[in-house]
Each structure stands twice: as C-alpha cells, then as structure tokens.
Amino acid sequence: MSLLDLAKAELLRSNADKRHPFRYFTLGTLSEYPELRTVVKRKTENELETILFTDSRTPKVEQIRQNNKVSLHFYHPKKKLQIRINGQAELIEEGHTDYDEFYNQIKSAPSLKDYTTQKRPGTEVKEESQILFGDDIHFIAIRVHPEYLDILQLGSDHHQRSAYFKNGREWEEKVLVP
C-alpha cells in the first residue's frame, strides 16, 4: 500500500470513528506570526478535502479571508503516521451552495451553543459567568482543498516519506528522505 493510499484510508476511516486520532488535527493560518490551533475534523471527502466548523467571528476566519493558504497536521500515534497538508481554504458561509448541508448537521446538536456566544471567541472576560449566549448563530464551515501532502510513516526497521503534488486531479509522488 502506498503512503498516499494509507493516508487516504486513515483520513476516510476517521469520518466514522469519533475516537480516531485524526478527528482532532492542527490547523495553521497566517497572521503576524503563524497561528496554530487544534480543531475538530467534521469530514474528509474523497479528493481529500477536509471540512471543519467554527464560529464565523474567530481570528482564523479573518486570517483566511486575508490569505486562504493553510496547513493541516494529522498524527496517528499507534501507526506512527504523520500527514501534513498545504492547501487553500474555502469559507462556506450563508448563501454558499453547501452551507445548508453543514448547518443542518449542527442546528439540532448540543454543539450549536458553541456558535451563539454574545461576544466573539477570544474576547477577555473577568470571570466565566460573563460568557453569555444569545440567539444569533455565528456558524461557518471551512473546506480545505489540498495541493501538497507530506506523508511520513515511522517504522522500527526504517521510515518512509513521500511528498505528493496535485497535478490536475491526480497526485504526483516524490519519494523523500525521511
């Protein structure tokens, strides 16, 4: 099995398995400094596009509006598999053809509350009791279209590493020194 096939299988497996280590991953955006944060993966699609949900008022959304180049980092500790993805983020907000599909996934879920704080995420409050919720929903989905993959498989005998570049709809492989 190629590293690309292994990575794709694990990313797709994590769609159904809520305890899969790829469910949580690191998203990197650009600001004055690179900004990294752990986010929840909602779905990986067949072409390896990754979907996540967030509050539309978060700094990461503004950073993506300024520069939509992002990086994703996944790590599977048991399989010692690391996947780094560079790609372009697409903001899926109200009016986008896919918005309703994603919004319907959270509108009846307990996580809907996460998108209803009266103040934007990251706003300082003196105490937790000042975190108030309202009726307005500040939901947005982000779809990352991958352009480059760096996949590393650590092993006891040897390590394997390959880079993959998007060439149209196909991935072109370059074997790398681990």
Side-chain angles (χ1 to χ4, degrees):
M1 175 181 277
S2 76
L3 288 176
L4 180 61
D5 291 337
L6 175 62
K8 186 173 184 178
E10 290 300 325
L11 286 164
L12 293 174
R13 182 173 295 123
S14 69
N15 287 341
D17 182 357
K18 302 258 188 232
R19 294 187 317 211
H20 195 285
F22 287 177
R23 176 129 163 95
Y24 298 95
F25 68 96
T26 303
L27 170 70
T29 57
L30 295 170
S31 185
E32 182 179 356
Y33 295 95
E35 298 279 345
L36 304 172
R37 78 279 284 154
T38 301
V39 294
V40 179
K41 181 182 80 68
R42 299 302 177 159
K43 183 179 184 184
T44 294
E45 297 174 327
N46 283 330
E47 297 300 317
L48 298 181
E49 293 90 359
T50 300
I51 309 289
L52 62 126
F53 299 162
T54 193
D55 185 304
S56 60
R57 303 167 296 167
T58 60
K60 66 181 155 284
V61 171
E62 185 55 36
Q63 291 158 2
I64 289 169
R65 287 190 199 286
Q66 298 297 316
N67 182 345
N68 73 337
K69 292 180 180 177
V70 298
S71 294
L72 313 180
H73 177 260
F74 297 88
Y75 185 68
H76 194 309
K78 287 185 181 171
K79 297 195 175 191
K80 296 184 177 146
L81 176 66
Q82 173 182 267
I83 305 170
R84 293 186 311 134
I85 299 173
N86 292 339
Q88 295 200 32
E90 171 189 14
L91 298 174
I92 300 173
E93 45 201 331
E94 206 164 356
H96 188 286
T97 54
D98 295 332
Y99 180 83
D100 289 342
E101 172 191 348
F102 298 129
Y103 176 71
N104 287 336
Q105 292 177 33
I106 60 107
K107 73 176 185 184
S108 300
S111 62
L112 179 65
K113 181 178 160 189
D114 297 339
Y115 310 104
T116 63
T117 57
Q118 289 181 356
K119 295 182 181 188
R120 65 181 257 153
T123 302
E124 184 178 342
V125 293
K126 296 215 184 287
E127 55 189 57
E128 205 169 328
S129 65
Q130 292 180 317
I131 301 172
L132 303 174
F133 298 90
D135 294 328
D136 292 335
I137 299 168
H138 306 281
F139 169 79
I140 194 168
I142 301 171
R143 176 183 285 129
V144 177
H145 301 274
E147 297 175 339
Y148 170 82
L149 307 173
D150 184 325
I151 304 170
L152 173 65
Q153 173 75 67
L154 301 173
S156 54
D157 292 341
H158 71 284
H159 308 315
Q160 291 178 282
R161 183 176 176 195
S162 287
Y164 296 88
F165 301 85
K166 197 78 177 232
N167 186 0
R169 292 185 58 86
E170 299 297 316
W171 289 102
E172 197 173 293
E173 179 182 24
K174 292 189 182 195
V175 176
L176 304 174
V177 175

